[in-house]
Amino acid sequence: MRRILKYIVVTCLLLIAGMQAAYAQYDKDAFFMRGRRALADGKYAQAIENFNILAQLDTSDYWNYFFRGIAKYNLGDLRGAKRDFDRSVRINPVFTSGYHYRGITESRFGDYDAALSDLEKAISLRPGNEGLYFSRGVTYFLSQQFENAVKDFDRYIRKEPKDPSAYLNRGACWLFLGDTLKAELDYDKAIKLDRFDPEGYVRRGRLHAMRNDYDRAISDMDRAIELDTTNTFAYFNRALMHYEKQDYKSAMTDLNRVLKDEPGNALTLYNRGLINANLGAYEDALSDMDRVLDINPDNVLAHFNRASVLIELGLYRDALEDYDRAIELYPDFAKAYMNRSYVHNLLGNKKASKKDYDTAQKKIAEYREKSASDEASFADTTKKYTSLLALDAEFAKKNFDNELLQHRDIDIRLRPVYKFVPDGDNDRTSYALSQIYENPLIEKFRQSLPVGVEILNEDLALDARQTAFLRDKAWASDAPGPQDYFIRALYEYLDKKYNLALEYYGRAVEGAPEEGLESLYKVFYYMNRGALRAEMIEFIASMESNVQVLSMDDSGNTRARVRDQVARRYDFTDAIADMKQAISIVPDIPYLYYNLGNFYCLSSDHVSSIENYNKAIELYPYMGDAYFNRGLVLIYLKDKEKGCIDLSRAGELGVQDAYGVIKKYCENEDR
């Protein structure tokens, strides 16, 4: 009998184990297929969510990390993608696709030696995979090994003769090798293979423009725009061509069309400013140059040309400041010395004028000695620094780098603070593998309230029935206690009655008992009151068109005339005090440190801000918003590498806003 019982127990255990294994396998397959489907549909953030869950179920599936890397790559998260590709080849050292895509990612970083090494490894594993030669050709091109790039594209074209992108790439190689005839033949072939791709017409049009054949160049740009009316790169190039034909009206129309879609495009603003200056529209030119320098204070040519505009307007001292800045940025800028000498002379500063003139002559002499090696170009007084500039990088066209004008005007908002918000019901459902933060005190407090609440950093929309239910519960008691006041504050906040909500939070704080479990609930009253106080400050700021955001391009170095729009600094002292009080009561809730980090950031105390985000992440390692905000602050403080790593982690944890920031600030590496 005992043996039979033992057999039954063992059999049951085996059945349970088998069921669990089958369930786990089913889950893995389901998440994998959902992730693949989302990836195929271009829903990259959704794909990452599924691959994240799969990574928790099975840490040895190299395909999972590979596909998650692909999703991150497509969202611009190159660091996160590389980490996943690293892991895929670490799990499977003969995984060709892992080496292939890691090589592509390293190429995007500018680490061409590592990229070529990985592509060589992939080719050694699968020498018959022609796509590897295409990728290596691109990497050779980016590393300026154009002859090797042509060989790889030749090999690829022999196997894939109908791929227009290969001809476009090989044509670009021929262009850099100085063979414009072969480049044009390749562009013609690409257009013949795909007459509906505007890229071929844009490339060929630019080639015609290089030969000063502007009629044919404009014809190609017209065709590109006809195929894609949103192609700002084509409009921009056509503007340059119209300008060269002295058709300034058409050039301005095209530049304005670019700025309609990309109002922060510094290069387009710069060029429009130059045309305005040429046409004598100095106020408009000044406005454009101000905008360029607000976007990128270190744009030496904008300082130089704005100074010329200021001279025309008779603003000599302002012009002097711009020449000072241009020379500070490029000490060998001979023309800037010459022009500053002229301004000093106008202002009666004879000694300073003579000194600048002598310096300019010295720089010119030095340049003539070095001109054979093409050094010190900013000392070249024969170069025209008031001509329009063409820069592919400004239009997300990679590998035509020019650091003078690549910045855009982007203000990135911090992720909002956390607080209790009414959710309209008492649904307490939680999901496995969601890595949600759990705290017994928070759960106890939620359960003690007669209405459903959640800690979120966004407000939930309530319908009329839910709002009425919240109101009824808030005023149900004739002898209200602190929790009743708390619920009243939630209701008044929904009705935008911020001062009344603030008063009720104050009553909740004052009425909280000194001992027992309910005395700890005061931490939540302080948290919500601090969040509301900060929100009221930001609301006031928005009414003054002065909303506080973390601007990636610090414009503190711009001159006085454009500082009148710099945001005022607001006082978050009371909000900070509330959050500190909450921490003194219960010191292990990550939301409190996160909120405090936001308040310090908005108070421009960035060091304290980072310290508090650190603490929040220490208490809750899956807090994506804390990684996001810390990443922004680090980038603002010029610690780009760490900041981009944080943004990558935030994206992995579900903060989809992270990928937009990554695309703007983390894709192009300075190496």
Side-chain angles (χ1 to χ4, degrees), residues 313-447:
L313 293 171
L315 300 171
Y316 302 129
R317 295 197 180 278
D318 283 337
L320 200 62
E321 287 184 26
D322 269 338
Y323 286 132
D324 288 345
R325 183 63 179 143
I327 289 167
E328 180 185 342
L329 290 167
Y330 279 91
D332 288 332
F333 201 166
K335 274 196 173 181
Y337 284 105
M338 292 286 284
N339 288 14
R340 191 171 70 175
S341 171
Y342 171 72
V343 175
H344 275 308
N345 189 55
L346 289 174
L347 292 170
N349 304 329
K350 304 298 182 183
K351 186 176 180 180
S353 176
K354 178 69 165 58
K355 182 180 178 182
D356 273 347
Y357 179 81
D358 291 343
T359 302
Q361 295 304 315
K362 181 181 177 183
K363 298 290 182 187
I364 294 167
E366 291 173 353
Y367 169 71
R368 286 172 180 162
E369 291 179 9
K370 297 177 180 179
S371 59
S373 58
D374 196 28
E375 295 180 28
S377 62
F378 274 87
D380 182 2
T381 54
T382 66
K383 185 171 180 180
K384 188 178 180 184
Y385 293 107
T386 56
S387 58
L388 300 196
L389 294 183
L391 176 62
D392 298 1
E394 185 68 18
F395 295 83
K397 301 290 182 179
K398 299 180 292 296
N399 317 312
F400 296 81
D401 296 326
N402 184 326
E403 294 299 322
L404 297 179
L405 288 162
Q406 70 178 13
H407 298 287
R408 289 178 183 271
D409 181 23
I410 306 163
D411 288 331
I412 306 296
R413 294 183 183 278
L414 298 172
R415 296 286 293 168
V417 297
Y418 279 85
K419 61 192 177 186
F420 277 99
V421 298
D423 66 3
D425 54 46
N426 275 311
D427 181 13
R428 308 299 190 205
T429 305
S430 62
Y431 300 93
L433 299 173
S434 61
Q435 296 175 330
I436 60 173
Y437 176 72
E438 295 181 355
N439 184 296
L441 182 64
I442 293 174
E443 188 60 26
K444 196 76 175 175
F445 178 67
R446 292 175 65 234
Q447 295 289 351

Side-chain angles (χ1 to χ4, degrees), residues 9 40 47 73 94 103 123 129 143 199 201 270 294 344 354 373 384 401 403 426 450 452 472 478-479 493 521 551:
V9 170
Y73 181 92
V94 292
I123 289 171
N129 185 336
S143 60
E199 183 69 16
Y201 296 99
Y270 175 87
D294 196 34
H344 275 308
K354 178 69 165 58
S373 58
K384 188 178 180 184
D401 296 326
E403 294 299 322
N426 275 311
D472 292 344
D478 294 329
Y493 172 81
Y521 293 164
S551 176

Side-chain angles (χ1 to χ4, degrees), residues 496-525:
K496 307 288 188 206
K497 296 177 180 176
Y498 300 135
N499 285 315
L500 199 51
L502 199 62
E503 180 184 336
Y504 281 130
Y505 282 135
R507 292 187 190 182
V509 168
E510 294 167 5
E514 296 298 323
E515 296 181 352
L517 178 63
E518 291 189 12
S519 69
L520 298 178
Y521 293 164
K522 188 188 291 188
V523 66
F524 306 127
Y525 310 149

Side-chain angles (χ1 to χ4, degrees), residues 201-409:
Y201 296 99
V202 171
R203 298 263 190 118
R204 191 174 68 182
R206 285 161 59 87
L207 179 58
H208 290 321
M210 287 174 59
R211 296 168 169 166
N212 298 324
D213 188 351
Y214 295 113
D215 289 334
R216 292 179 69 191
I218 290 172
S219 176
D220 271 344
M221 291 301 162
D222 289 343
R223 179 58 178 153
I225 290 168
E226 181 184 331
L227 291 168
D228 179 6
T229 57
T230 65
N231 192 327
T232 55
F233 191 56
Y235 284 110
F236 177 83
N237 278 282
R238 192 173 69 177
L240 300 185
M241 297 161 189
H242 283 310
Y243 177 81
E244 293 296 335
K245 292 191 69 178
Q246 299 184 353
D247 184 355
Y248 301 130
K249 182 179 178 181
S250 296
M252 289 290 278
T253 299
D254 278 343
L255 293 178
N256 288 333
R257 179 63 182 80
V258 174
L259 291 169
K260 178 184 176 183
D261 287 352
E262 302 180 18
N265 189 310
L267 179 61
T268 305
L269 287 164
Y270 175 87
N271 283 343
R272 189 176 71 176
L274 290 181
I275 295 177
N276 277 322
N278 290 342
L279 297 176
Y282 297 119
E283 289 290 347
D284 291 337
L286 186 60
S287 176
D288 281 340
M289 290 301 174
D290 282 349
R291 188 86 171 94
V292 171
L293 288 166
D294 196 34
I295 295 167
N296 179 12
D298 294 337
N299 183 331
V300 64
L301 292 181
H303 281 291
F304 178 82
N305 285 293
R306 185 173 70 176
S308 299
V309 174
L310 290 167
I311 291 172
E312 295 293 339
L313 293 171
L315 300 171
Y316 302 129
R317 295 197 180 278
D318 283 337
L320 200 62
E321 287 184 26
D322 269 338
Y323 286 132
D324 288 345
R325 183 63 179 143
I327 289 167
E328 180 185 342
L329 290 167
Y330 279 91
D332 288 332
F333 201 166
K335 274 196 173 181
Y337 284 105
M338 292 286 284
N339 288 14
R340 191 171 70 175
S341 171
Y342 171 72
V343 175
H344 275 308
N345 189 55
L346 289 174
L347 292 170
N349 304 329
K350 304 298 182 183
K351 186 176 180 180
S353 176
K354 178 69 165 58
K355 182 180 178 182
D356 273 347
Y357 179 81
D358 291 343
T359 302
Q361 295 304 315
K362 181 181 177 183
K363 298 290 182 187
I364 294 167
E366 291 173 353
Y367 169 71
R368 286 172 180 162
E369 291 179 9
K370 297 177 180 179
S371 59
S373 58
D374 196 28
E375 295 180 28
S377 62
F378 274 87
D380 182 2
T381 54
T382 66
K383 185 171 180 180
K384 188 178 180 184
Y385 293 107
T386 56
S387 58
L388 300 196
L389 294 183
L391 176 62
D392 298 1
E394 185 68 18
F395 295 83
K397 301 290 182 179
K398 299 180 292 296
N399 317 312
F400 296 81
D401 296 326
N402 184 326
E403 294 299 322
L404 297 179
L405 288 162
Q406 70 178 13
H407 298 287
R408 289 178 183 271
D409 181 23

Side-chain angles (χ1 to χ4, degrees), residues 61-131:
D61 187 344
Y62 57 90
W63 279 107
N64 175 57
Y65 293 106
F66 172 75
F67 285 125
R68 189 173 72 175
I70 295 291
K72 290 179 180 178
Y73 181 92
N74 280 288
L75 286 169
D77 181 9
L78 303 183
R79 288 168 181 78
K82 184 178 181 302
R83 284 198 304 273
D84 278 343
F85 296 143
D86 285 344
R87 187 151 186 176
S88 72
V89 297
R90 192 161 59 245
I91 295 170
N92 181 1
V94 292
F95 184 34
T96 305
S97 296
Y99 290 110
H100 183 186
Y101 281 84
R102 187 171 72 174
I104 292 172
T105 306
E106 288 162 340
S107 177
R108 290 285 302 278
F109 275 119
D111 192 352
Y112 302 123
D113 289 339
L116 290 169
S117 175
D118 271 340
L119 291 169
E120 289 288 352
K121 177 72 173 176
I123 289 171
S124 70
L125 290 168
R126 291 186 63 187
N129 185 336
E130 301 304 325

Side-chain angles (χ1 to χ4, degrees), residues 157 161-172 186-187 189-190 193:
I157 287 170
K162 294 186 178 181
D163 185 348
S165 60
Y167 292 97
L168 289 176
N169 285 355
R170 192 174 68 178
D186 272 344
Y187 292 154
K189 182 67 173 179
L193 289 169

